[in-house]
PDB file of all heavy atoms in Angstrom:
ATOM      1  N   ASP T   1      -1.398  -3.679  20.563  1.00  0.00           N
ATOM      2  CA  ASP T   1      -0.935  -2.538  21.344  1.00  0.00           C
ATOM      3  C   ASP T   1      -0.269  -1.518  20.432  1.00  0.00           C
ATOM      4  O   ASP T   1      -0.191  -1.689  19.214  1.00  0.00           O
ATOM      5  CB  ASP T   1       0.019  -2.995  22.448  1.00  0.00           C
ATOM      6  CG  ASP T   1       1.188  -3.827  21.911  1.00  0.00           C
ATOM      7  OD1 ASP T   1       1.524  -3.681  20.711  1.00  0.00           O
ATOM      8  OD2 ASP T   1       1.771  -4.613  22.681  1.00  0.00           O
ATOM      9  N   GLU T   2       0.231  -0.451  21.035  1.00  0.00           N
ATOM     10  CA  GLU T   2       0.850   0.620  20.257  1.00  0.00           C
ATOM     11  C   GLU T   2       2.113   0.148  19.540  1.00  0.00           C
ATOM     12  O   GLU T   2       2.439   0.636  18.453  1.00  0.00           O
ATOM     13  CB  GLU T   2       1.176   1.808  21.164  1.00  0.00           C
ATOM     14  CG  GLU T   2      -0.038   2.603  21.605  1.00  0.00           C
ATOM     15  CD  GLU T   2      -0.741   3.300  20.442  1.00  0.00           C
ATOM     16  OE1 GLU T   2      -0.089   3.531  19.409  1.00  0.00           O
ATOM     17  OE2 GLU T   2      -1.934   3.623  20.586  1.00  0.00           O
ATOM     18  N   ALA T   3       2.842  -0.797  20.131  1.00  0.00           N
ATOM     19  CA  ALA T   3       4.037  -1.314  19.467  1.00  0.00           C
ATOM     20  C   ALA T   3       3.669  -1.995  18.151  1.00  0.00           C
ATOM     21  O   ALA T   3       4.361  -1.834  17.132  1.00  0.00           O
ATOM     22  CB  ALA T   3       4.769  -2.289  20.389  1.00  0.00           C
ATOM     23  N   MET T   4       2.571  -2.740  18.147  1.00  0.00           N
ATOM     24  CA  MET T   4       2.107  -3.375  16.919  1.00  0.00           C
ATOM     25  C   MET T   4       1.690  -2.320  15.901  1.00  0.00           C
ATOM     26  O   MET T   4       1.993  -2.430  14.700  1.00  0.00           O
ATOM     27  CB  MET T   4       0.931  -4.310  17.228  1.00  0.00           C
ATOM     28  CG  MET T   4       0.342  -4.989  16.000  1.00  0.00           C
ATOM     29  SD  MET T   4      -1.003  -6.106  16.444  1.00  0.00           S
ATOM     30  CE  MET T   4      -0.086  -7.409  17.284  1.00  0.00           C
ATOM     31  N   VAL T   5       0.979  -1.307  16.359  1.00  0.00           N
ATOM     32  CA  VAL T   5       0.561  -0.222  15.471  1.00  0.00           C
ATOM     33  C   VAL T   5       1.771   0.447  14.828  1.00  0.00           C
ATOM     34  O   VAL T   5       1.772   0.751  13.622  1.00  0.00           O
ATOM     35  CB  VAL T   5      -0.290   0.801  16.255  1.00  0.00           C
ATOM     36  CG1 VAL T   5      -0.481   2.077  15.441  1.00  0.00           C
ATOM     37  CG2 VAL T   5      -1.643   0.197  16.617  1.00  0.00           C
ATOM     38  N   GLU T   6       2.810   0.675  15.604  1.00  0.00           N
ATOM     39  CA  GLU T   6       4.012   1.308  15.058  1.00  0.00           C
ATOM     40  C   GLU T   6       4.662   0.446  13.990  1.00  0.00           C
ATOM     41  O   GLU T   6       5.175   0.959  12.990  1.00  0.00           O
ATOM     42  CB  GLU T   6       4.998   1.621  16.177  1.00  0.00           C
ATOM     43  CG  GLU T   6       4.585   2.800  17.045  1.00  0.00           C
ATOM     44  CD  GLU T   6       4.333   4.061  16.215  1.00  0.00           C
ATOM     45  OE1 GLU T   6       5.174   4.371  15.341  1.00  0.00           O
ATOM     46  OE2 GLU T   6       3.306   4.708  16.437  1.00  0.00           O
ATOM     47  N   ARG T   7       4.669  -0.882  14.189  1.00  0.00           N
ATOM     48  CA  ARG T   7       5.244  -1.766  13.170  1.00  0.00           C
ATOM     49  C   ARG T   7       4.475  -1.653  11.856  1.00  0.00           C
ATOM     50  O   ARG T   7       5.065  -1.664  10.774  1.00  0.00           O
ATOM     51  CB  ARG T   7       5.232  -3.220  13.654  1.00  0.00           C
ATOM     52  CG  ARG T   7       6.165  -3.506  14.806  1.00  0.00           C
ATOM     53  CD  ARG T   7       6.511  -4.995  14.880  1.00  0.00           C
ATOM     54  NE  ARG T   7       5.324  -5.846  14.949  1.00  0.00           N
ATOM     55  CZ  ARG T   7       4.726  -6.192  16.083  1.00  0.00           C
ATOM     56  NH1 ARG T   7       5.172  -5.699  17.251  1.00  0.00           N
ATOM     57  NH2 ARG T   7       3.687  -7.001  16.074  1.00  0.00           N
ATOM     58  N   ILE T   8       3.158  -1.527  11.958  1.00  0.00           N
ATOM     59  CA  ILE T   8       2.346  -1.385  10.744  1.00  0.00           C
ATOM     60  C   ILE T   8       2.586  -0.028  10.096  1.00  0.00           C
ATOM     61  O   ILE T   8       2.726   0.086   8.872  1.00  0.00           O
ATOM     62  CB  ILE T   8       0.854  -1.575  11.079  1.00  0.00           C
ATOM     63  CG1 ILE T   8       0.604  -2.998  11.592  1.00  0.00           C
ATOM     64  CG2 ILE T   8      -0.011  -1.304   9.855  1.00  0.00           C
ATOM     65  CD1 ILE T   8      -0.788  -3.238  12.118  1.00  0.00           C
ATOM     66  N   ARG T   9       2.675   1.007  10.923  1.00  0.00           N
ATOM     67  CA  ARG T   9       2.884   2.346  10.376  1.00  0.00           C
ATOM     68  C   ARG T   9       4.231   2.481   9.679  1.00  0.00           C
ATOM     69  O   ARG T   9       4.384   3.277   8.757  1.00  0.00           O
ATOM     70  CB  ARG T   9       2.748   3.378  11.489  1.00  0.00           C
ATOM     71  CG  ARG T   9       1.308   3.605  11.931  1.00  0.00           C
ATOM     72  CD  ARG T   9       1.216   4.526  13.121  1.00  0.00           C
ATOM     73  NE  ARG T   9      -0.180   4.757  13.503  1.00  0.00           N
ATOM     74  CZ  ARG T   9      -0.563   5.226  14.682  1.00  0.00           C
ATOM     75  NH1 ARG T   9       0.353   5.495  15.616  1.00  0.00           N
ATOM     76  NH2 ARG T   9      -1.845   5.404  14.947  1.00  0.00           N
ATOM     77  N   GLU T  10       5.200   1.695  10.104  1.00  0.00           N
ATOM     78  CA  GLU T  10       6.508   1.739   9.456  1.00  0.00           C
ATOM     79  C   GLU T  10       6.434   1.281   7.997  1.00  0.00           C
ATOM     80  O   GLU T  10       7.311   1.611   7.199  1.00  0.00           O
ATOM     81  CB  GLU T  10       7.501   0.869  10.230  1.00  0.00           C
ATOM     82  CG  GLU T  10       7.927   1.475  11.570  1.00  0.00           C
ATOM     83  CD  GLU T  10       8.787   0.527  12.385  1.00  0.00           C
ATOM     84  OE1 GLU T  10       9.044  -0.611  11.886  1.00  0.00           O
ATOM     85  OE2 GLU T  10       9.200   0.894  13.497  1.00  0.00           O
ATOM     86  N   MET T  11       5.382   0.532   7.657  1.00  0.00           N
ATOM     87  CA  MET T  11       5.214   0.069   6.280  1.00  0.00           C
ATOM     88  C   MET T  11       4.386   1.029   5.443  1.00  0.00           C
ATOM     89  O   MET T  11       4.128   0.771   4.267  1.00  0.00           O
ATOM     90  CB  MET T  11       4.528  -1.305   6.262  1.00  0.00           C
ATOM     91  CG  MET T  11       5.261  -2.388   7.017  1.00  0.00           C
ATOM     92  SD  MET T  11       4.456  -4.001   6.797  1.00  0.00           S
ATOM     93  CE  MET T  11       2.881  -3.704   7.619  1.00  0.00           C
ATOM     94  N   SER T  12       3.901   2.120   6.025  1.00  0.00           N
ATOM     95  CA  SER T  12       2.928   2.988   5.361  1.00  0.00           C
ATOM     96  C   SER T  12       3.412   3.532   4.022  1.00  0.00           C
ATOM     97  O   SER T  12       2.617   3.792   3.122  1.00  0.00           O
ATOM     98  CB  SER T  12       2.534   4.148   6.279  1.00  0.00           C
ATOM     99  OG  SER T  12       3.673   4.930   6.606  1.00  0.00           O
ATOM    100  N   GLY T  13       4.725   3.685   3.867  1.00  0.00           N
ATOM    101  CA  GLY T  13       5.243   4.190   2.604  1.00  0.00           C
ATOM    102  C   GLY T  13       5.015   3.243   1.449  1.00  0.00           C
ATOM    103  O   GLY T  13       5.049   3.655   0.278  1.00  0.00           O
ATOM    104  N   ALA T  14       4.768   1.955   1.744  1.00  0.00           N
ATOM    105  CA  ALA T  14       4.541   0.959   0.699  1.00  0.00           C
ATOM    106  C   ALA T  14       3.057   0.716   0.437  1.00  0.00           C
ATOM    107  O   ALA T  14       2.711  -0.060  -0.453  1.00  0.00           O
ATOM    108  CB  ALA T  14       5.214  -0.356   1.083  1.00  0.00           C
ATOM    109  N   PHE T  15       2.186   1.389   1.188  1.00  0.00           N
ATOM    110  CA  PHE T  15       0.747   1.185   0.999  1.00  0.00           C
ATOM    111  C   PHE T  15       0.244   1.958  -0.214  1.00  0.00           C
ATOM    112  O   PHE T  15       0.608   3.121  -0.420  1.00  0.00           O
ATOM    113  CB  PHE T  15      -0.040   1.626   2.236  1.00  0.00           C
ATOM    114  CG  PHE T  15       0.158   0.738   3.436  1.00  0.00           C
ATOM    115  CD1 PHE T  15       0.047   1.246   4.720  1.00  0.00           C
ATOM    116  CD2 PHE T  15       0.440  -0.608   3.288  1.00  0.00           C
ATOM    117  CE1 PHE T  15       0.220   0.439   5.832  1.00  0.00           C
ATOM    118  CE2 PHE T  15       0.627  -1.426   4.393  1.00  0.00           C
ATOM    119  CZ  PHE T  15       0.507  -0.899   5.671  1.00  0.00           C
ATOM    120  N   GLY T  16      -0.623   1.324  -0.987  1.00  0.00           N
ATOM    121  CA  GLY T  16      -1.241   2.013  -2.120  1.00  0.00           C
ATOM    122  C   GLY T  16      -2.625   2.513  -1.799  1.00  0.00           C
ATOM    123  O   GLY T  16      -3.167   3.371  -2.496  1.00  0.00           O
ATOM    124  N   ALA T  17      -3.239   1.972  -0.744  1.00  0.00           N
ATOM    125  CA  ALA T  17      -4.572   2.385  -0.315  1.00  0.00           C
ATOM    126  C   ALA T  17      -4.462   3.338   0.860  1.00  0.00           C
ATOM    127  O   ALA T  17      -3.388   3.541   1.433  1.00  0.00           O
ATOM    128  CB  ALA T  17      -5.393   1.161   0.078  1.00  0.00           C
ATOM    129  N   GLU T  18      -5.587   3.932   1.218  1.00  0.00           N
ATOM    130  CA  GLU T  18      -5.649   4.739   2.436  1.00  0.00           C
ATOM    131  C   GLU T  18      -5.805   3.790   3.614  1.00  0.00           C
ATOM    132  O   GLU T  18      -6.710   2.954   3.638  1.00  0.00           O
ATOM    133  CB  GLU T  18      -6.834   5.700   2.375  1.00  0.00           C
ATOM    134  CG  GLU T  18      -6.939   6.615   3.582  1.00  0.00           C
ATOM    135  CD  GLU T  18      -8.106   7.586   3.483  1.00  0.00           C
ATOM    136  OE1 GLU T  18      -8.741   7.638   2.414  1.00  0.00           O
ATOM    137  OE2 GLU T  18      -8.373   8.269   4.481  1.00  0.00           O
ATOM    138  N   VAL T  19      -4.916   3.906   4.594  1.00  0.00           N
ATOM    139  CA  VAL T  19      -4.898   2.977   5.716  1.00  0.00           C
ATOM    140  C   VAL T  19      -4.823   3.762   7.018  1.00  0.00           C
ATOM    141  O   VAL T  19      -4.005   4.679   7.153  1.00  0.00           O
ATOM    142  CB  VAL T  19      -3.711   1.997   5.632  1.00  0.00           C
ATOM    143  CG1 VAL T  19      -3.761   1.005   6.788  1.00  0.00           C
ATOM    144  CG2 VAL T  19      -3.712   1.257   4.307  1.00  0.00           C
ATOM    145  N   GLY T  20      -5.663   3.408   7.975  1.00  0.00           N
ATOM    146  CA  GLY T  20      -5.620   3.989   9.302  1.00  0.00           C
ATOM    147  C   GLY T  20      -5.457   2.887  10.334  1.00  0.00           C
ATOM    148  O   GLY T  20      -6.099   1.837  10.231  1.00  0.00           O
ATOM    149  N   VAL T  21      -4.591   3.092  11.311  1.00  0.00           N
ATOM    150  CA  VAL T  21      -4.295   2.066  12.315  1.00  0.00           C
ATOM    151  C   VAL T  21      -4.386   2.684  13.701  1.00  0.00           C
ATOM    152  O   VAL T  21      -3.939   3.812  13.921  1.00  0.00           O
ATOM    153  CB  VAL T  21      -2.877   1.481  12.112  1.00  0.00           C
ATOM    154  CG1 VAL T  21      -2.708   0.214  12.948  1.00  0.00           C
ATOM    155  CG2 VAL T  21      -2.595   1.198  10.656  1.00  0.00           C
ATOM    156  N   SER T  22      -4.957   1.943  14.625  1.00  0.00           N
ATOM    157  CA  SER T  22      -5.040   2.437  15.996  1.00  0.00           C
ATOM    158  C   SER T  22      -5.127   1.266  16.961  1.00  0.00           C
ATOM    159  O   SER T  22      -5.424   0.138  16.564  1.00  0.00           O
ATOM    160  CB  SER T  22      -6.261   3.357  16.171  1.00  0.00           C
ATOM    161  OG  SER T  22      -7.454   2.683  15.810  1.00  0.00           O
ATOM    162  N   ALA T  23      -4.869   1.536  18.233  1.00  0.00           N
ATOM    163  CA  ALA T  23      -4.959   0.515  19.282  1.00  0.00           C
ATOM    164  C   ALA T  23      -5.613   1.120  20.512  1.00  0.00           C
ATOM    165  O   ALA T  23      -5.357   2.277  20.853  1.00  0.00           O
ATOM    166  CB  ALA T  23      -3.574  -0.023  19.628  1.00  0.00           C
ATOM    167  N   TRP T  24      -6.463   0.360  21.150  1.00  0.00           N
ATOM    168  CA  TRP T  24      -7.096   0.796  22.397  1.00  0.00           C
ATOM    169  C   TRP T  24      -7.706  -0.427  23.082  1.00  0.00           C
ATOM    170  O   TRP T  24      -8.043  -1.409  22.446  1.00  0.00           O
ATOM    171  CB  TRP T  24      -8.153   1.879  22.141  1.00  0.00           C
ATOM    172  CG  TRP T  24      -9.423   1.411  21.480  1.00  0.00           C
ATOM    173  CD1 TRP T  24     -10.620   1.172  22.077  1.00  0.00           C
ATOM    174  CD2 TRP T  24      -9.620   1.124  20.084  1.00  0.00           C
ATOM    175  NE1 TRP T  24     -11.560   0.758  21.154  1.00  0.00           N
ATOM    176  CE2 TRP T  24     -10.966   0.722  19.930  1.00  0.00           C
ATOM    177  CE3 TRP T  24      -8.800   1.158  18.958  1.00  0.00           C
ATOM    178  CZ2 TRP T  24     -11.496   0.355  18.688  1.00  0.00           C
ATOM    179  CZ3 TRP T  24      -9.324   0.790  17.724  1.00  0.00           C
ATOM    180  CH2 TRP T  24     -10.653   0.413  17.607  1.00  0.00           C
TER     181      TRP T  24
END
């Protein structure tokens, strides 16, 4: 769900690759 997506997005500053996250 969107709550899970938000938890992943909170880590985006530590990502070295291009990452896209979504829920539906």
